[in-house]
Amino acid sequence: MQRELISIPKMLLYALVTVLVYVIQTSVFGAHPLFGYHVDLLPAAVTAAALLDGPVEGAVVGLLAGVLYDVGLVGMDGIYPIYFMLYGLLGGLISRTALAGGFLSMVLMNAFEMLLLGMLRYFVQLMREGASFLLVLHQTVGGTLVACMLCFIVYLPCGASAAHFRGTTGGYKGATPWKINNNCCTGLPRCSSCCCCAQVWQEAVWSTSSLCTDRNISSARRSF
């Protein structure tokens, strides 16, 4: 089973980026809507953490983003922290098997996250207040497009952070995939006595597990 390594400095850096995004969107974009739409970049921070690192980072950043929404009095009675935490968790799990860690994946995940949130907000809160569905849909779609145009503001620092910590901890997220038996194994080659690659390799590197011997690892390297 894959062993998760939690980096406290990386978590703190993600938290700092999330808080800075919140400050920018409430101070700069809050007073100056773009094309008539409110700019909301906090969902992009959740998407970036989930896409670039995984479910743990996505869930932590999602919880923080939801709390910041509630602090700014724009949440829905505690629903935002739960929503963003679950989205970060599920998004991180899905991104490991179905998505590459590139900017296009970031845009697609962010768009889906914001559209889903807009519909949730309408059916939970705004519909009871008599808001027009078409008006809410228009604002949601427009705000989503604007946010996707600007989400590089979040992707660039988060991508640099993820790349830095991958280099110092030997992480696998975003590494070059290897094709083994027509299956995509992310990151590192397998040993000759095991059926998959990255999980067993990390066990051998990060622990004293005997799943892979030095001879098998050397054999795996030569096979590629």
Side-chain angles (χ1 to χ4, degrees):
M1 182 177 179
Q2 182 81 27
R3 178 172 298 181
E4 289 285 348
L5 294 184
I6 307 302
S7 172
I8 300 302
K10 180 172 63 176
M11 290 291 190
L12 293 176
L13 188 56
Y14 271 126
L16 177 61
V17 171
T18 304
V19 172
L20 288 177
V21 168
Y22 173 75
V23 171
I24 291 173
Q25 80 172 30
T26 54
S27 59
V28 179
F29 294 120
H32 304 282
L34 193 60
F35 304 118
Y37 299 103
H38 171 67
V39 178
D40 191 0
L41 294 176
L42 274 181
V46 182
T47 299
L51 179 68
L52 296 171
D53 273 299
V56 176
E57 292 80 1
V60 171
V61 174
L63 180 61
L64 175 60
V67 170
L68 290 174
Y69 275 114
D70 283 353
V71 170
L73 302 179
V74 294
M76 296 183 293
D77 299 327
I79 293 179
Y80 275 33
I82 297 174
Y83 170 80
F84 283 111
M85 182 178 66
L86 291 177
Y87 190 88
L89 178 65
L90 295 176
L93 292 173
I94 293 173
S95 70
R96 287 186 167 179
T97 57
L99 294 173
F103 182 68
L104 179 59
S105 297
M106 164 86 170
V107 172
L108 293 175
M109 283 186 65
N110 188 59
F112 180 76
E113 178 185 18
M114 294 191 67
L115 291 173
L116 183 61
L117 178 64
M119 295 300 96
L120 176 66
R121 185 165 179 253
Y122 173 77
F123 288 110
V124 172
Q125 181 183 29
L126 299 179
M127 185 173 66
R128 294 183 299 176
E129 299 174 358
S132 168
F133 175 76
L134 291 180
L135 179 60
V136 173
L137 182 63
H138 177 267
Q139 290 294 321
T140 300
V141 172
T144 298
L145 292 175
V146 169
C148 288
M149 288 171 51
L150 297 176
C151 66
F152 70 90
I153 297 174
V154 180
Y155 180 80
L156 291 178
C158 289
S161 172
H164 170 74
F165 282 101
R166 278 198 303 269
T168 57
T169 62
Y172 64 93
K173 182 66 178 178
T176 303
W178 297 80
K179 290 288 185 179
I180 300 177
N181 296 331
N182 296 322
N183 294 319
C184 182
C185 289
T186 306
L188 295 164
R190 63 174 179 171
C191 69
S192 59
S193 63
C194 305
C195 62
C196 199
C197 54
Q199 297 173 354
V200 175
W201 178 280
Q202 287 182 333
E203 280 289 333
V205 173
W206 287 339
S207 72
T208 58
S209 171
S210 59
L211 286 175
C212 289
T213 64
D214 292 340
R215 182 180 62 184
N216 287 335
I217 292 174
S218 299
S219 174
R221 286 171 172 163
R222 288 194 298 272
S223 68
F224 287 92

